[in-house]
Amino acid sequence: MDHPLTHLDASGHARMVDVTDKTPTVRSATAAGRVVTSAETVALLRDGAVPKGDVLAVARIAGIQAAKKTPELLPLAHVIGVHGAVLDLEITDEGVEITATVRTADRTGVEMEALTSVSVAALAVIDMVKGRDRSAHVTDIRLLEKTGGRSGTWTREETGTVEVAE
């Protein structure tokens, strides 16, 4: 399916897409990612013994803040109302799994806000553990689902993607 490049004008210059005429609708997006750490770091995380403090609390706040600041980081992202942001962080045997769900009632979606939220939360985890674990790294940041808007619902499946029209 051929899609026009909506972020370029007729001369090929970058532009912000004009969404003025779109009707605000409820939209959400969920993204995920992980921070892979050493077994020793996992043990410190589980014991709450990371020297810098509560890693998950810091990462959660960083992720929520990042969702609200996405247009400051991505030049063509629209300034929209982030009406809800939930960050879940889970310590696993491999490190920390991060999931963010962002919601709005606006003219454009919140996929970038959810992805930015996960990315910055992951960076906050790295920042908190880097003194003990130089091998810690971020991986698998991806959109899991988006709902609302003209294109409806899209959900990632383990083996591919599924498009569902609303």
Side-chain angles (χ1 to χ4, degrees), residues 54-64 87 89 117 120-122 124-125 128:
D54 188 339
V55 174
L56 301 188
V58 170
R60 187 172 291 109
I61 296 299
I64 291 168
L87 243 82
L89 294 100
S117 180
V120 172
V125 171
M128 296 289 286

Side-chain angles (χ1 to χ4, degrees), residues 68-135:
K68 296 188 294 183
K69 294 194 169 282
T70 298
E72 294 176 33
L73 301 169
L74 301 174
L76 300 180
H78 290 88
V79 176
I80 61 172
V82 172
H83 299 126
V86 175
L87 243 82
D88 293 314
L89 294 100
E90 178 186 358
I91 300 167
T92 67
D93 290 342
E94 290 77 39
V96 180
E97 294 287 331
I98 304 166
T99 305
T101 299
V102 179
R103 292 179 45 86
T104 191
D106 218 315
R107 291 175 169 84
T108 189
V110 286
E111 296 92 338
M112 295 314 300
E113 286 75 6
L115 288 162
T116 301
S117 180
V118 168
S119 300
V120 172
L123 292 174
V125 171
I126 296 286
D127 185 44
M128 296 289 286
V129 304
K130 71 179 188 260
R132 298 277 179 154
D133 187 354
R134 298 278 183 210
S135 72

Side-chain angles (χ1 to χ4, degrees), residues 144-146 153-165:
L144 299 179
E145 182 178 63
K146 62 81 61 188
T153 298
W154 177 90
T155 303
R156 179 181 303 279
E157 289 192 0
E158 292 299 317
T159 58
T161 59
V162 167
E163 307 254 354
V164 180

